[in-house]
Amino acid sequence: MELIPGSGITINHYLWLSAILFSLGAFGILYRKNAIIMFMSVELMLNAVNIILVAFSKMWGQTDAQVFVFFIMVVAAAEVAVGLSILMMLYRNMHTTDTDVLDKLKF
Amino acid sequence: MVEFLFWFLSGVGILSAIATILSKNPVYSVLFLIVTFFSIAGHYFLLNAQFLAAVHIIVYAGAIMVLFLYVIMMLNLNRLDDDRKASWSKAISVASACLLMFVIVAALRRTDELNNVQTAANSNDIGFTKNLGIALFRDCLLPFELATVLFLGAMVGAVYLSKKEAINN
Amino acid sequence: MKELLIISLLGIAVLAADILKLRKAIFPLIMLGLLSTIVCCIADWGHNEIPFQQYGGMLLFDNLALAFTVVISLIAMFWFVLTSDYFRGDGARRTDLYALALFSICGAVVMVSFSNMMMLFLGLEILSIPLYVLAASEKRNILSNEAGFKYFFLGSLASAIILFGIALIYGATGSFDLATIASKVAVLGSSSTLLMVGVTMIIAGFAFKISVAPFHLWAPDVYQGAPTAVTAFMATIVKAAAFAALYKLFNGAFAGLSDKFTTSFAVMSAVTLIVANIIASVQVNSKRLLAYSSVSHAGFMLGFIMMSTSVPGKYLLFYVLAYSIASLTAFGALHHVSSIQEGDESTDAFKGLVKRNPMMAVAMTLALLSMAGIPPLSGFLAKYFVISGVLNGGYLWLVIIMILSSVVAMYYYLKLIIAMFTPIENAGRIVVARSQQLLYGLFAVLLVALFFGASALELISF
Amino acid sequence: MEKLVTLIPLFPLAGFLYITFFGKGFSKNFIGWLASGSILLSFIVSILVFSTQLQGAQPTIIKAFDWITAGSFDIDVSFIVDPLSTIYLLFITGVGFLIHVYSIGYMHTDEGFNRFMAYLNLFVFFMLILVLGDSYVTLFVGWEGVGLCSFMLIGFWYKDMKNNDAAKKAFIINRIGDLGLILGMCLLFSYTNTLNYDSLFITGNEASSLPSGVATTVGILLFIGAMGKSAQIPLHTWLPDAMAGPTPVSALIHAATMVTAGIYMVARSSELFAASETASMVITWVGILTSILGATIALTQNDIKKVLAYSTVSQLGLMFVALGMGAYSTAVFHVITHAFFKALLFLGSGSVIHGMGGEQDIRRMGGLKSHMKITHLTFLIGTIAISGIFPFAGFFSKDQIIAVAFENNRVMFVLVSAVSALTAFYMFRLYFLTFHGQFRGTHDQEHHLHESPKTMTVPLIILAVLSIVGGFIGLPHAVGEEMGMHWHWLDHFLQDAVVMPASLMHVGTEVILMVVATTVAIGSIFYAWKKYKKDGELALEDDEINNNTHQLLADKYRMDELYERIIRKPVDGISAFFGKNIEPKVIDGIVNGSGSVTQRLAEKLRQMQSGKISFYILITVLGLVALLLLI
Amino acid sequence: MLTILLLAIPFFAAGAALLMGQKFAKQIALFAGLAELLTTLIAIYFFKQGDPNGLLTFHQDWIGPLGINYSFGLDGISLVMMLLCSVLLPLVVYASWHKSYKNPHVFYSMILLMVGSMVGAFTTTDALMFYIFYEFALIPIYFMCLVWGSGENKARVTLKFFLYTLFGSLFMLVALLYVYQSSGSFAFTAMYEAANAMSAQEQGWLLAAFFIAFAVKIPVFPFHTWQPSTYDAAPVAGTMLLAGIMLKMATYGLLKLVLPMLPEGIAEYGGWCLALCAISVVYASCMAIVQKRFKLLIAYSSIAHVGLLSAGILSGNAQGMQGGVMEMLSHGIISVGLFFVYDIIASRMHHDEMNRMGGIRDVNPQFAFLFFVIVMGSVALPATSGFVGEFLLLLGLNQYSPLLTAVAGLTVVLGAVYMLRSFQQMMLGASNHNTLNFAPLTQHEKIVLSIVVGLIVLLGVYPSPVLELSNPTVENLLLGIH
């Protein structure tokens, strides 16, 4: 049945949407080697999760999913903070954000 | 109307997401990503999660992306040329991403068990600040507190890493 | 609940102590705090009413949680003592690292005691984010940077995957609460693709955290790059927490489904064992070698998850304890040995250890033998529990693989042992702090004592 | 009275132990007489025990102590007293005693004197165990024990590797036979569940209840054992080499006693062999072949002891012929007479060698009869006895064999007669070449020539007497009647112990056969006399041999070379092949190979750990996909 | 209680030796050995009494729900094995009395640990316990070879040895667990019942697992390649323990676990195992023939003998099993004797290449005599312990298959070939410049050799005490089998 009254939009639409966004995020990190862009792609994946969560909370008529979305945002923020600082440190040492340079550790 | 909005927002979101990934200049990517976020916020509105939408804009567009921009500026990375990546590997990445998408979508295509879930009557006002607040500060107080620990940890970490030390190895 | 409070406050207290110029007090404070945590756990033992119901039952300190908390705090204490020199350097650094480690431990405690997906996710992140920093904490060392970055990046990818899983499960069951999920799962079974996909995603995400093939690729690199102390932390506490969490999920929430995933687990475990052991057999860098061995142990422990419904959690606990002590010993010894000879981590670094520090050598030898699963060392029983469980499940082929792989494992452990017992000339003694020396002795004793003390498992029930 | 039997082996054992552990420092005479005395004691006891049997006491079994118990398998160390064992006791201890005494003189100058005496005692002990044992297992103890002693005595002069090789050869070839014996015992046990004579033959009668196929197999396996001990084709090659040992050893072990153990064993199992035609036939043919082979080789040998050795081989062959044709008592009869005259001959040759200062080649002798009278006389008696001239011991026993052959199988009869003709010839060849004609040795040998001391000559004389009268225990019917003595005494005596041939032959034929045999013997003796005495022909030097048969015989049919080629070389070759290729390359190769394969695999696999984060992500994503597909 | 005492003595002694340090190590070890021997004799006495007050059994739950228990019991067979351990331990210790090992306290505590674990394996009545001791015995011997061993590639050799045997024994673990699935307890009796209930095919698989485990340790062709090199690398005391006692754990396992558990399996598929054993008899003998060095020759000859031993045991009848028990004892004593002889020669000549010796008998007849008796024991001459064992084994094997008996029986001939050859090469002939100044035997060498020789002859002439000790137990096992 439809999620939003008076429209043909069912939960499945949102499932697909978030699935697509999630996969796009994955595509991003696969496709690019630049750390910054890859971070962004991860953020994209997180947001795909957010969307579907909100949609579900609408479906079940419960708030906790939306609260969860808050926490996801919080975590995202924290991650970005740490991640970017790591990135900066890396840049300081290697003068690049190209992840393929990072292969000292292997085999 | 709603239907049109859905399709429009989705289209914009997806396209700008693709743009984010493909654009050479990181600044553009950031901007495209912000567009995506806005479209997502739109979806939140559609789903009566107005407050969340607002927070979303503030946190992501307002904070996170700014942080990104700041870093990009600071490291002045305009025009990243990572085309050195071999075309076959690009092909592989595209292929596997599509594979992932197909698998997930295919898996989620038939979700019959959800079709008989009645959308709750109150589902239009759960997004209100009041309800959220109640939920947040009664049921989810503990996670909320823990989030502070998380932030503290992240902060300490970020500070620790950003302290300048020269490399010598 | 108290336990969580103590540890999280401990982290803050450490920071405060730094500000108040009480650096001397930090170490005792930590010890005290962890000790009191253990005490609390023992005090709470047995009464499993859900504490702090007003928090919506976000946490559940049942016996499993308590036991794992005890183990984690214990390991943490050992870890702090063993790697104390890692925290040296200018005071600020010291306190930061202490604080980060403590926050991470706090996350671990959350992960063993959660009863709600939100807490699981938060715990995971609280555990991981400080750890990313710790992995990269040797800012001058480019390898450490690389390790930190890889760990961080793949880690956040994994958490994204886990999140998606959680979301889908919520979609299918309409709740984050484990109990509710469990009841719903019992009804839905495997009919709901949403649920199945969700669970699979969670498995994938956790497979990353516990470094099981094919999601293990980060582990050797990160273990090698990160400072040895941090590696020890990751190999013990993080693994313990992650496995506990996974066990909780598949023993509780997804119990109804777990038989659907047995095969997947079996395959993953098999691949892990084969790949990790075989690659380990040609490593010359002992740190990386130990990293691979820890991956292979993850493959073993996966057996418990696979059989979560039939094998009680205490056996997982035993494995975790036995393995943690062993690898603490190993990594600790490596830490000390390599720090003496300008960071030489090759297996030759251990040459003549038996002369240079007999106690350490003996402990290390016992640890390696225990990891290989030779009786009468705790490792044998640990592996025995896994194997018998898996065999009960009728996975003879997996057992055979486990067995063959542990022969290969024995091979590379013996390489280290032989190195330790090959005499070298002009071997200076390796001097470590008295407390650490004692600790090695303690480890040596524990490794044997746990074997004979295993009957204590009768007393506890979960 | 029978209880005493346990003492019989104990005396020699005690002698052995005493000499080995406390023998130091005593004079050679003391040691010598101690050793001999111990044998004498057992001889006396043997007579006592024997007398009980004479009075026709039932066969009894005297238990010493438990030995091996395993389920239904229960073997005690216990001794059987019956005609067969007692008669063996008599001549073992008797001849044994004489040879001990002889050795005192013969070995007097050897620094290994004590050791020698100890070994002899030990040998007698084991020989007694062999004949007294009440089961195949106890028999086997003696069996191997005498083998061991023969090994030690052949290699007595161990500093010369040649002797050691001879000893090793003897032991190993015997071992091959023993393997047959062991397998025979195993098979017998698995069918009858016992290895005691008592339950096999005497009270219980398991043996005759065997299915004939099994009986044949067991019989042949046991006979293989006998082949080894009693030097039958193809396991005969060790006996001539065994002459490397001191001459008394050759006399005692390799002529009188040990080599006849095979005959004892077969006679002991007579019921079993009687139950199997095939086995008996095999025995007969092997026997006659060996006998011919021995006799022919003996024709050309020039080493005095070698001649006697081959003659022993041939005589043993004859005994087996008798056994094969079911005349067990006859075989025993020949064993006894043979013990007398062959011991006599060996001791005589020993005395000659002693006199010649170690020279053994008859081409270097000649005309000794003037120098050593007693030796010459006794040796002559022995020669006549072995040639089978009436009324010497050899005559009766050999005649009995010929008679049996005549009855069963005419071909066999011809062959046996031929053998006895050959025997007579080569023995007299030996005799003439040694004692008649010119002395052909070196000058100082001639100067040094002397008759041997009393300790040597007295035994010679006694044995000579025995070789003359020994035959009377088995007088043929006719002769017996004539002389008013009771005939075939031995057969009657043994009839409870061994199976008897069905019919006793007609007196008339008996007489004819005797005449024939004697004439044949006389004929060949005359030929030998003409050839070597009258025409004074001499044995050829090795390089003078110009015809192939002669060469072939001189080379003992090149049997050793044959074995060298078909057994020794292959075994060594295979072993070497295993050692060089199979072991390191194949078997260990697989083990090590598995290791190196793993290594190589690892080298491949670790490439996957490329260190490139993008690759890790790819794998992660694909892994996720795989998992999703797996459900 | 006595069982616990038996078990405790070596382990405590090990601890004591470790703590008492350099000075008293060997004294402690020797004393422990003698104490062990005394206790064993007492135990035998009580066993003869029929164990009126249950001194010979001990049971204590360990991990009940998992069916693992500390449970020990002495029956006839294990008493014989105890006899073996407790006779050899003092002998081995005393044999290396005048050797100066570095860190003797560790060395001797290793010896004691090893013996202790083997005592455990022989006395326990719990299959998993058996496995645990079986495995644990590896550790001390491994370190003995690694630290006190000789040879430039001892590390590689011992590594191979460890991995190989571990690889084998893990199969046993699987098999045990598999049976445990249906038995629910690791107690021998329970395991017997459970396994007997299984189909012949299942039993066949279990047999394969067990056989690999034991065949590696025994060792049986083609799993033997670790053995000669390891014997070579190990210090002589270690070699004695390896050959004397350690491999007996495997044959004991065949006797106490495989035979009663898998009668049908053996009936169906046992032929393969027996064939392998028979082959290894011949093969190892051939290998022994081509050896140039005495120690390797002994090593291979040991393979040949234990091949026959395991074949006889697997034939699963009274004679075979009794012979097995007897041969375990005798082979233990004889191989200790032979390796001690090797040690005497090697320590004087500083090499053990046989063709470079000769005429030692002339210089040292006493030694030659003692050596010769041991050789005769090893070629199973009657009136030596070797004969009693091997003859019974052949009797037993013959009831399984005369053909295999004929093959395995070749040891009678080939054994004589290589043993006599080596004896003559080293001892007989004329003494050359190498051997002329061959030092006479020291007092303790004489004592050890005489004890060995005495035991060989005694057990050969009067073995019935031993056989009667084990007979009732064997009968019981047989009742279970048929």
Side-chain angles (χ1 to χ4, degrees), chain E residues 186-206:
Chain E
F186 280 106
F188 278 168
T189 48
M191 301 285 277
Y192 295 164
E193 285 171 17
N196 289 333
M198 294 180 178
S199 74
Q201 187 154 18
E202 268 180 303
Q203 292 197 8
W205 284 111
L206 289 172

Side-chain angles (χ1 to χ4, degrees), chain A residues 15 18-19 22 29 35 38-39 42 45-46 48-49 52-53 56-57 59-60 62 64-65 67-68 71-72 75 78-80 82-83 86-87 89-90 93-94 99 102-107, chain C residues 117-118 121-122 125 129 132-133 136 139 142-143 145-150 152-153 156-157 159-161 163-164 166-168 170-174 176 184 194 201 221 224-225 283 288 292:
Chain A
L15 271 173
S18 75
F22 192 80
I29 49 176
M38 290 162 94
F39 280 172
V42 174
M45 294 171 90
L46 291 179
V49 176
I52 190 63
L53 269 176
F56 279 137
S57 81
M59 178 181 84
W60 292 107
Q62 295 170 351
D64 48 4
V67 176
F68 196 21
F71 290 122
I72 296 180
V75 168
E79 262 187 1
V80 169
V82 170
I86 291 179
L87 189 68
M89 179 184 65
L90 209 58
N93 294 342
M94 330 248 307
T99 56
L102 299 171
D103 57 358
K104 303 277 172 304
L105 299 164
K106 60 181 160 202
F107 302 146
Chain C
M117 288 299 191
M118 279 190 214
F121 176 62
L122 277 174
E125 291 301 325
I129 288 179
Y132 301 149
V133 181
K139 290 185 282 181
I142 204 154
L143 296 182
N145 295 331
E146 181 177 340
F149 180 77
K150 282 180 174 171
F152 164 76
F153 195 82
S156 46
L157 174 61
S159 27
I161 295 174
L163 266 178
F164 200 66
I166 293 176
L168 293 180
Y170 176 79
T173 61
F176 292 118
K184 278 287 182 60
L194 210 53
M201 291 256 176
D221 296 6
Q224 185 189 351
Q283 295 302 326
R288 198 168 177 82
Y292 277 111

Side-chain angles (χ1 to χ4, degrees), chain B residues 37-91:
Chain B
F37 286 154
F38 271 103
S39 70
I40 289 172
H43 280 297
Y44 290 170
F45 273 107
L46 282 186
L47 296 164
N48 320 73
Q50 306 83 352
F51 181 70
L52 205 56
V55 176
H56 180 75
I57 298 296
I58 297 166
V59 172
Y60 275 103
I64 297 180
M65 298 329 285
V66 170
L67 199 55
F68 270 99
L69 270 178
Y70 165 75
V71 170
I72 293 170
M73 301 301 182
M74 189 166 139
L75 312 180
N76 64 39
L77 317 156
N78 42 22
R79 279 208 67 70
L80 311 158
D81 41 5
D82 50 359
D83 311 331
R84 278 175 283 102
K85 195 158 184 172
S87 56
W88 59 267
S89 71
K90 294 194 174 188

Side-chain angles (χ1 to χ4, degrees), chain C residues 158-159 161-162 200-210 215, chain D residues 624:
Chain C
S159 27
I161 295 174
I162 290 178
T200 315
M201 291 256 176
I202 286 189
I203 292 175
F206 266 97
F208 171 89
K209 292 287 175 197
I210 61 178
F215 307 98
Chain D
L624 179 58

Side-chain angles (χ1 to χ4, degrees), chain D residues 343-616:
Chain D
L344 171 60
L345 288 167
F346 264 114
L347 295 188
S349 69
S351 156
V352 168
I353 294 164
H354 192 258
M356 294 284 296
E359 179 59 67
Q360 300 197 3
D361 189 336
I362 52 177
R363 288 169 302 194
R364 309 276 164 275
M365 300 178 182
L368 298 181
K369 70 170 188 297
S370 49
H371 297 89
M372 8 181 43
K373 305 230 162 6
I374 306 170
T375 311
H376 164 251
L377 190 62
T378 47
F379 197 92
L380 178 59
I381 294 169
T383 320
I384 299 171
I386 195 173
S387 313
I389 304 296
F390 184 85
F392 288 68
F395 170 78
F396 298 103
S397 51
K398 189 177 286 179
D399 173 68
Q400 209 166 348
I401 296 175
I402 291 173
V404 173
F406 180 80
E407 283 202 321
N408 294 26
N409 176 343
R410 294 300 150 90
V411 182
M412 207 51 71
F413 164 69
V414 176
L415 293 173
V416 172
S417 323
V419 168
S420 57
L422 289 171
T423 314
F425 176 77
Y426 65 71
M427 282 313 296
F428 271 91
R429 167 178 178 270
L430 178 64
Y431 166 74
F432 287 126
L433 286 175
T434 314
F435 291 95
H436 293 263
Q438 295 306 323
F439 183 71
R440 298 180 293 274
T442 62
H443 191 69
D444 53 356
Q445 275 177 336
E446 182 162 22
H447 170 73
H448 164 277
L449 270 176
H450 64 292
E451 181 56 275
S452 309
K454 287 269 169 298
T455 45
M456 290 165 71
T457 47
V458 172
L460 284 178
I461 294 160
I462 298 171
L463 280 170
V465 174
L466 283 171
S467 329
I468 298 170
V469 303
F472 296 158
I473 58 172
L475 286 176
H477 192 162
V479 183
E481 248 171 359
E482 287 304 314
M483 301 166 67
M485 296 167 63
H486 83 61
W487 54 88
H488 291 307
W489 170 85
L490 186 64
D491 298 0
H492 298 300
F493 180 63
L494 289 178
Q495 64 197 2
D496 309 344
V498 299
V499 179
M500 281 296 144
S503 71
L504 274 172
M505 73 193 317
H506 184 272
V507 182
T509 11
E510 220 176 21
V511 178
I512 297 166
L513 286 176
M514 284 189 251
V515 176
V516 172
T518 324
T519 32
V520 168
I522 303 258
S524 47
I525 292 172
F526 176 74
Y527 178 57
W529 172 82
K530 183 175 181 306
K531 197 170 190 301
Y532 294 105
K533 176 78 170 121
K534 188 155 168 299
D535 308 355
E537 206 177 296
L538 294 179
L540 297 175
E541 295 299 332
D542 299 344
D543 46 15
E544 296 169 1
I545 299 169
N546 45 17
N547 88 30
N548 293 338
T549 13
H550 191 176
Q551 187 62 56
L552 184 64
L553 295 180
D555 298 351
K556 306 140 192 154
Y557 295 100
R558 309 207 179 87
M559 281 282 203
D560 289 320
E561 293 75 359
L562 182 67
Y563 291 166
E564 182 74 17
R565 201 167 298 112
I566 66 170
I567 297 172
R568 178 104 178 287
K569 280 206 164 51
V571 170
D572 288 355
I574 290 167
S575 310
F577 176 69
F578 283 162
K580 280 197 190 52
N581 304 329
I582 302 295
E583 179 85 352
K585 300 220 178 79
V586 180
I587 298 165
D588 210 18
I590 291 166
V591 179
N592 300 336
S594 60
S596 52
V597 165
T598 326
Q599 303 280 315
R600 237 173 275 119
L601 188 58
E603 288 303 337
K604 291 270 166 299
L605 273 176
R606 72 190 294 186
Q607 299 305 324
M608 189 182 70
Q609 200 78 32
S610 64
K612 291 259 187 288
I613 193 164
S614 47
F615 178 72
Y616 294 177

Side-chain angles (χ1 to χ4, degrees), chain C residues 327-342:
Chain C
S327 50
L328 259 191
T329 323
F331 281 111
L334 175 60
H335 177 60
H336 288 126
V337 168
S338 64
S339 63
I340 284 232
Q341 39 213 30
E342 61 278 345

Side-chain angles (χ1 to χ4, degrees), chain A residues 22-23 25-27 29-30 45, chain B residues 93 95-101, chain C residues 157 161 204 214-215, chain D residues 614-628:
Chain A
F22 192 80
S23 320
F27 171 62
I29 49 176
L30 282 168
M45 294 171 90
Chain B
S93 55
S96 46
C98 297
L99 192 60
L100 179 65
M101 183 167 74
Chain C
L157 174 61
I161 295 174
F215 307 98
Chain D
S614 47
F615 178 72
Y616 294 177
I617 297 161
L618 180 64
I619 293 295
T620 313
V621 170
L622 292 181
L624 179 58
V625 172
L627 273 184
L628 285 169

Side-chain angles (χ1 to χ4, degrees), chain D residues 27-161:
Chain D
S27 74
K28 287 184 174 172
N29 281 327
F30 175 80
I31 294 297
W33 286 110
L34 181 82
S36 322
S38 64
I39 309 296
L40 183 61
L41 285 172
S42 4
F43 179 59
I44 293 161
V45 179
S46 312
I47 292 173
L48 294 175
V49 176
F50 176 72
S51 61
T52 64
Q53 290 300 309
L54 271 183
Q55 283 122 33
Q58 280 309 305
T60 46
I61 288 175
I62 312 298
K63 174 174 174 183
F65 56 88
D66 292 344
W67 191 29
I68 306 180
T69 345
S72 56
F73 180 79
D74 183 0
I75 294 294
D76 303 333
V77 175
S78 51
F79 303 127
I80 184 168
V81 179
D82 75 339
L84 187 58
S85 61
T86 42
I87 198 112
Y88 256 83
L89 281 182
L90 274 187
F91 83 83
I92 291 169
T93 47
V95 177
F97 169 66
L98 294 174
I99 293 175
H100 271 72
V101 176
Y102 179 90
S103 319
I104 300 175
Y106 188 85
M107 297 298 289
H108 208 277
T109 52
D110 194 295
E111 86 279 4
F113 185 81
N114 290 12
R115 196 155 54 88
F116 184 78
M117 281 302 171
Y119 289 170
L120 279 190
N121 270 356
L122 186 63
F123 167 79
V124 174
F125 165 72
F126 276 123
M127 194 64 209
L128 292 169
I129 293 292
L130 191 157
V131 294
L132 279 175
D134 79 321
S135 72
Y136 282 106
V137 186
T138 24
L139 171 133
F140 190 70
V141 177
W143 190 268
E144 290 264 312
V146 290
L148 168 68
C149 297
S150 122
F151 168 80
M152 294 191 295
L153 285 163
I154 296 170
F156 180 74
W157 291 304
Y158 57 83
K159 288 187 193 161
D160 183 349
M161 259 311 176

